[in-house]
C-alpha cells in the first residue's frame, strides 16, 4: 500500500513528527538509571532479598486465603451517603452559599411499605416513574365521574394526614419524627406516601424549615420555637395522588 496515497501531505508530516517524538522518548527512558539493564551489585542483592520477601508473603497470603472461608457481608441500612455520593455532598455543602442557618442533618434509614393490600405507584420499587403525562401541556384529560370520586378520596386522606403531621410539630421534635407520624397515618388509611422513593426521594413527606423554599428532606434537626415549617403531604390512594401543604409556626 502506498502511504503517500493513503494520507495527505499534512497528515504525513504530523505522523512523522509523532513517530520521531515517540522514538526519542523511548531512547531517553532506556538510557536512564531507573530503567538500566546493568544493575550494580547492591541493587542486585536488594532485588533478590525483596523478591524473597515478596514470594514468602505471597505464599503466606495464598495459604490464608485457602484456609479461610469468605463470609457474605451483611448489608446494613445507611443513614448517610457513602463513597462518591458522600464526597459529592461534602463538596456541594462546602461550595454552596446558604442563605440562612439551616443545614442538612442526619437522615434515618428510608421507611418501607410492606402491606400487599396497598396500591403503590409505579416508581415505588426503582424510583423511576413510568406513567408520563401528555407531551403537550394544553392537552387536558377529561376525568370520568368515578375517577373524580377517587380523586376526592385521595385528597381527603391527604388532608387528614396533614392534620396528624401538624399535631406533631412542636419545639424539640425532629422533622424525622414528623415524617414517621405522616408515614404511619398514610398507611393506616390504605394510602402510599407519594414522595417516598419518587426519583429516589428518601422520605414520606417534605418539611421545609425557615428559609428552605420547598421539598425539604426530614432529618434529625430539632424544631425550635419561632421556626416556620411548611409540611407538604401527598397520598397515593387507588391510583390517584392527593396533594396538599400548609405553613405552621413552631411554639
Amino acid at each position: 500500500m502506498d502511504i503517500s496515497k493513503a494520507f495527505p501531505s499534512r497528515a504525513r508530516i504530523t505522523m512523522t513528527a509523532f513517530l520521531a517524538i515517540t522514538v526519542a522518548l523511548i531512547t531517553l527512558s532506556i538510557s536512564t538509571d531507573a530503567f538500566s539493564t546493568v544493575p550494580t551489585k547492591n541493587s542486585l542483592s536488594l532485588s533478590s532479598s525483596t523478591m524473597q520477601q515478596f514470594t514468602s508473603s505471597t505464599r503466606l497470603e495464598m495459604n490464608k486465603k485457602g484456609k479461610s472461608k469468605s463470609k457474605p457481608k451483611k448489608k446494613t441500612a445507611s443513614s448517610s451517603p457513602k463513597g462518591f455520593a458522600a464526597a459529592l455532598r461534602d463538596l456541594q455543602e462546602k461550595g454552596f452559599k446558604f442563605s440562612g442557618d439551616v443545614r442538612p442533618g442526619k437522615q434515618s434509614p428510608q421507611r418501607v411499605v410492606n402491606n400487599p393490600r396497598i396500591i403503590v405507584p409505579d416508581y415505588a420499587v426503582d424510583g423511576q416513574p413510568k406513567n408520563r403525562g401528555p407531551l403537550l401541556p394544553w392537552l387536558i384529560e377529561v376525568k370520568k365521574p368515578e375517577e373524580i370520586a377517587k380523586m376526592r378520596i385521595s385528597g381527603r386522606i391527604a388532608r387528614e394526614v396533614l392534620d396528624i403531621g401538624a399535631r406533631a410539630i412542636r419545639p424539640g421534635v425532629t422533622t424525622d419524627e414528623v415524617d414517621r407520624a405522616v408515614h404511619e397515618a398514610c398507611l393506616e388509611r390504605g394510602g402510599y406516601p407519594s414522595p417516598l422513593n419518587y426519583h429516589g426521594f428518601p422520605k414520606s413527606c417534605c418539611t421545609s424549615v425557615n428559609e428552605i423554599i420547598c421539598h425539604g428532606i426530614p432529618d434529625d434537626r430539632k424544631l425550635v420555637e419561632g421556626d416556620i415549617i411548611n409540611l407538604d403531604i401527598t397520598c397515593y390512594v387507588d391510583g390517584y395522588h392527593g396533594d396538599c401543604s400548609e405553613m405552621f409556626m413552631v411554639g
Side-chain angles (χ1 to χ4, degrees):
M1 179 179 178
D2 189 358
I3 191 171
S4 61
K5 295 181 180 180
F7 299 97
S9 59
R10 184 175 298 177
R12 292 201 303 273
I13 294 173
T14 303
M15 182 177 294
T16 303
F18 174 76
L19 292 174
I21 294 173
T22 304
V23 171
L25 290 175
I26 294 174
T27 305
L28 180 62
S29 299
I30 294 174
S31 64
T32 58
D33 293 337
F35 296 93
S36 177
T37 57
V38 185
T40 62
K41 181 179 180 182
N42 294 334
S43 63
L44 183 60
S45 60
L46 179 61
S47 300
S48 300
S49 60
T50 304
M51 287 301 297
Q52 289 177 359
Q53 293 176 3
F54 175 78
T55 305
S56 60
S57 62
T58 304
R59 189 182 299 110
L60 179 61
E61 184 66 23
M62 292 178 64
N63 291 336
K64 288 182 179 179
K65 289 183 179 180
K67 294 178 181 179
S68 62
K69 294 182 179 180
S70 58
K71 297 181 180 179
K73 296 181 179 180
K74 295 182 179 179
K75 294 183 178 180
T76 56
S78 175
S79 58
S80 60
K82 303 294 184 182
F84 177 75
L88 181 60
R89 174 176 172 174
D90 293 341
L91 181 63
Q92 289 175 335
E93 289 185 7
K94 291 178 181 178
F96 185 79
K97 295 182 179 179
F98 291 92
S99 59
D101 298 329
V102 177
R103 297 291 185 273
K106 183 179 179 181
Q107 298 175 22
S108 63
Q110 190 179 63
R111 295 181 170 87
V112 296
V113 177
N114 292 323
N115 191 339
R117 293 178 294 180
I118 293 178
I119 299 176
V120 302
D122 58 7
Y123 56 81
V125 176
D126 59 4
Q128 297 300 320
K130 286 80 176 174
N131 186 16
R132 303 290 182 177
L135 296 177
L136 303 177
W138 56 82
L139 296 177
I140 301 175
E141 180 183 357
V142 179
K143 300 295 183 181
K144 300 177 182 179
E146 56 270 22
E147 294 174 325
I148 297 175
K150 292 181 179 180
M151 293 170 65
R152 286 198 177 102
I153 294 174
S154 63
R156 185 179 69 248
I157 289 177
R159 179 69 243 190
E160 293 176 359
V161 173
L162 176 61
D163 291 338
I164 292 174
R167 290 197 286 270
I169 296 175
R170 59 183 180 273
V173 174
T174 66
T175 51
D176 187 67
E177 293 177 275
V178 177
D179 179 79
R180 177 168 51 82
V182 167
H183 181 88
E184 293 174 355
C186 186
L187 266 59
E188 289 173 357
R189 287 158 178 77
Y192 178 94
S194 300
L196 186 62
N197 208 31
Y198 179 74
H199 286 292
F201 191 82
K203 294 298 176 182
S204 299
C205 67
C206 300
T207 53
S208 305
V209 180
N210 296 341
E211 71 271 11
I212 306 303
I213 298 174
C214 65
H215 301 159
I217 301 175
D219 53 31
D220 66 345
R221 181 189 183 276
K222 293 183 179 181
L223 298 171
V224 299
E225 188 168 356
D227 280 345
I228 56 174
I229 176 174
N230 178 265
L231 182 58
D232 192 351
I233 304 295
T234 310
C235 296
Y236 184 77
V237 183
D238 200 11
Y240 290 88
H241 297 276
D243 189 356
C244 57
S245 71
E246 191 170 343
M247 189 75 72
F248 300 94
M249 175 73 74
V250 179

